Amino acid sequence: MKNITFLTLCLFSSILLIAQWKPQGDKIKTEWVENIDVNNVLSEYPRPIMERPMWKNLNGLWDYSIAPYASIEPKKYDGKILVPFPIESSLSGVMEQVGDKKEVWYRTEFNIDSGWNGKNILLHFGAVDWKTDVWVNDVKVGTHTGGYTPFSFNITPFLKSRSQKLSVRVWDPTSNGKQPRGKQVNNPEGIWYTPVTGIWQTVWIEAVEDKYIENLKIIPDIDYNSVKIKANVNNGNYGDVIEVSVLNGTEMISNVKAAITTNLEIKLQTPKLWSPESPFLYDIKVSLISNGKTVDEVKSYFAMRKISKKRDENGIVRMQLNNKDYFQFGPLDQGWWPDGLYTAPTDEALKYDIIKTKELGFNTIRKHVKVEPARWYTHCDRLGILVWQDMPNGDLDNGWQRTEYFKGSELARTSESEKIFREEWKDIMDYLYSYPSIVVWVPFNEAWGQFKTVEITEWTKNYDSSRLVNSASGGNHFQTGDILDLHNYPAPELYLYDANRVTVLGEYGGIGLPIQGHLWKPDNNWGYIKFKNSKETTDEYVKYAEILKKMVNAGFSAAIYTQTTDVEGEVNGFMTYDRKVDKLDIDKVSKINKEVINTLNN
């Protein structure tokens, strides 16, 4: 009888929670909305490149309130919000715009598992946009600024014996601020999209010992059949040891130990190389040993791959993958969702766009002025896709000049604006350093906030010499970095060429096809050129690809087509914004895309 009563109470509680939330608004939505369980939201382990067994997901229905800027915690909250969906999104259950004169308060309660007694408890946020203050049991434990990278606090000293109260305050000025914000603006229109404020990635806790591995830096070297692994250790002491076991499936192929003060180097016999055609990953187990005892252990992985450039027999500087000329071809991927905005409704949805990109015959994605959750990059690593990672733009446009060298001006940023950019760009690179799919860093796009281009490019290259740097995608062009990046809409055009750098077509296409019933803005949508049906749109795409094939031999070493999906008012995607309709003939697109790639790769 007691069991029946308990189950009845659990069922009643679940029904009550569901009744407190539903998607808001009448905009189009993806099919994954139907799979959302408010008691189990984005439940997958959020950091698969460094995984521990003792963790707990805090996503779900929290209290929320929209309050005046710089307020104290409200005594009464406005209602419930589904974390981690941003408050402006349908899936948050709120769908209200906040603005820079207000801020969002969140509140929830959680328990610490009894098996975690005596351990340190880390509170993790995947990403929160933009300035975040955090309280645990009414004690402020820290502040973080930055909208795209994970951060954490050790909350152990502030815990109570029973349930724990977590309060979060977030302020985001969106386009009224100097911070990186990507395509977010207060008044979305055209290529500019709805603001994203507050928590937009998973919130979770994790149990560790006093000494634990904070992060891993993994650097493969296929020329010497080796990989270097640096583990940053919290509270480490001289004499502590890192042990790494390398696995090929269940078979251990190497076991190496080193002091935490050194880089651990592993030699591999005839290593398997990673590529989009064969995305092989080595699994590893990394252990922290102190006084002969294992005090921490994480699961991770790495890939043996190399990205570089080299002049070919015709004098053209080419991108190379694993020391072979390799044409990189893929879509511009904004990473937006009609129901979750920055946040995919499920992990299956997050993975879907990458799978579709592979089906289209591409080998590359340009992640455009947005940074994704860690699981997205792991999906790219496992599925086999190369990634160009943009810095989300911020501040002001300083005048775009794309067709000549040295004609564009640079933005005179304030010292505060410069500081924000430098700190957040470094944080993004630190966060993503060990993901093998990332092969190109893109600090600036089309003159948005572009400043001190040569200095920023050289810093980026020095900070990570293992990848190429595309310093200014689309203009204002300087002879710095590894790549000259041209943008041209709608058809491909090779209107500049650099004999000493890789020349790429960083954006082109934008062929529009509005599909009734699948439009975010039924009466206000656009593409760079628009057609009325799938056949016309596919034919135009194939025509551009045939032009591009000729330009590969003339000098292009990569190309990025706009874009993966429709986004808000833009209707130039391979798919509709709700991902329910493939707008072009997938087989024809895949065939011609592979022909473009093989123009060079064969």
Side-chain angles (χ1 to χ4, degrees), residues 504-547:
V504 307
L505 182 61
E507 291 183 29
Y508 83 100
I511 304 169
L513 173 62
I515 303 291
Q516 293 302 316
H518 301 273
L519 298 173
W520 173 269
K521 295 181 176 180
D523 302 319
N524 182 17
N525 56 75
W526 72 281
Y528 288 93
I529 183 173
K530 290 171 72 172
F531 290 92
K532 296 179 180 180
N533 59 57
S534 178
K535 182 184 184 304
E536 290 179 351
T537 310
T538 302
D539 289 347
E540 191 74 1
Y541 180 87
V542 171
K543 183 179 80 173
Y544 291 170
E546 293 288 357
I547 296 171

Side-chain angles (χ1 to χ4, degrees), residues 67-236:
Y69 175 70
S71 60
I72 61 173
E73 182 173 3
K75 293 182 179 179
K76 183 179 180 181
Y77 279 71
D78 297 343
K80 294 291 184 180
I81 185 171
L82 188 58
V83 169
F85 298 106
I87 196 166
E88 294 91 349
S89 73
S90 170
L91 292 183
S92 70
V94 180
M95 204 175 179
E96 291 187 31
Q97 199 158 321
V98 180
D100 63 321
K101 300 295 190 294
K102 296 181 180 179
E103 57 196 14
V104 184
W105 277 91
Y106 299 82
R107 181 182 66 190
T108 191
E109 292 186 355
F110 63 93
N111 294 315
I112 304 298
D113 294 353
S114 59
W116 294 10
N117 290 340
K119 297 187 179 295
N120 283 271
I121 308 301
L122 305 181
L123 170 63
H124 295 282
F125 294 85
V128 184
D129 195 4
W130 178 71
K131 181 182 178 184
T132 310
D133 298 301
V134 179
W135 289 259
V136 173
N137 295 320
D138 299 317
V139 177
K140 189 174 183 179
V141 299
T143 297
H144 177 266
T145 56
Y148 297 95
T149 52
F151 59 97
S152 61
F153 304 105
N154 187 334
I155 62 172
T156 313
F158 315 107
L159 299 176
K160 295 181 178 180
S161 57
R162 294 182 293 278
S163 68
Q164 318 300 325
K165 176 187 174 186
L166 171 60
S167 306
V168 180
R169 179 177 66 187
V170 185
W171 173 71
D172 179 19
T174 309
S175 48
N176 287 339
K178 306 293 186 184
Q179 80 294 343
R181 55 181 170 83
K183 291 291 192 78
Q184 305 174 58
V185 293
N186 293 324
N187 299 301
E189 185 69 26
I191 66 169
W192 305 101
Y193 314 144
T194 303
V196 170
T197 299
I199 298 170
W200 68 275
Q201 289 186 30
T202 291
V203 185
W204 54 296
I205 55 174
E206 183 178 37
V208 296
E209 301 292 343
D210 289 336
K211 294 184 180 185
Y212 62 90
I213 299 166
E214 288 187 317
N215 58 65
L216 300 172
K217 189 174 185 179
I218 303 174
I219 309 170
D221 188 338
I222 71 167
D223 295 328
Y224 292 92
N225 293 347
S226 68
V227 59
K228 292 181 180 178
I229 299 175
K230 174 65 177 176
N232 292 322
V233 174
N234 182 75
N235 285 332

Side-chain angles (χ1 to χ4, degrees), residues 15 31-32 57 98 150 200 241 282 323 385 416 430 467 556:
I15 293 172
E31 63 182 17
W32 294 283
N57 194 322
V98 180
W200 68 275
V241 171
Y282 288 92
N323 294 324
I385 202 85
E416 177 191 15
D430 286 340
R467 293 180 171 95
F556 274 142

Side-chain angles (χ1 to χ4, degrees), residues 32 34 53 93 102 193 233 274 279 284 328 351 383 414 454 538:
W32 294 283
E34 300 172 4
K102 296 181 180 179
Y193 314 144
V233 174
W274 181 99
I284 58 175
Q328 298 185 25
K351 188 177 179 180
L383 291 169
T414 65
V454 174
T538 302

Side-chain angles (χ1 to χ4, degrees), residues 343-478:
T343 311
T346 67
D347 189 64
E348 181 186 3
L350 187 70
K351 188 177 179 180
Y352 181 82
D353 287 1
I354 307 168
I355 294 172
K356 185 61 68 174
T357 299
K358 295 280 288 188
E359 289 178 0
L360 287 162
F362 290 119
N363 58 25
T364 303
I365 289 173
R366 180 179 171 198
K367 179 48 61 177
H368 191 42
V369 294
K370 185 198 175 190
V371 179
E372 293 288 358
R375 292 193 63 85
W376 187 86
Y377 297 95
T378 292
H379 289 322
C380 290
D381 295 341
R382 290 175 176 162
L383 291 169
I385 202 85
L386 303 173
V387 176
W388 298 12
Q389 179 60 57
D390 286 12
M391 170 64 170
N393 64 286
D395 214 313
L396 302 174
D397 188 324
N398 49 288
W400 182 26
Q401 198 293 120
R402 68 185 182 90
T403 58
E404 298 180 67
Y405 282 121
F406 312 123
K407 295 291 185 180
S409 62
E410 294 194 293
L411 182 65
R413 288 198 182 214
T414 65
S415 58
E416 177 191 15
S417 176
E418 280 199 26
K419 182 173 182 288
I420 290 171
F421 178 96
R422 294 175 193 272
E423 288 180 351
E424 295 199 25
W425 185 223
K426 178 181 180 297
D427 286 347
I428 289 167
M429 291 181 67
D430 286 340
Y431 161 45
L432 299 176
Y433 194 98
S434 294
Y435 292 94
S437 53
I438 298 176
V439 294
V440 175
W441 297 116
V442 188
F444 297 115
N445 176 76
E446 291 184 351
W448 300 344
Q450 187 176 339
F451 76 107
K452 298 182 179 177
T453 308
V454 174
E455 179 185 335
I456 295 299
T457 300
E458 290 177 351
W459 180 90
T460 303
K461 191 67 179 178
N462 289 333
Y463 198 64
D464 181 7
S465 60
S466 70
R467 293 180 171 95
L468 302 182
V469 179
N470 183 357
S471 58
S473 182
N476 299 332
H477 300 299
F478 291 80

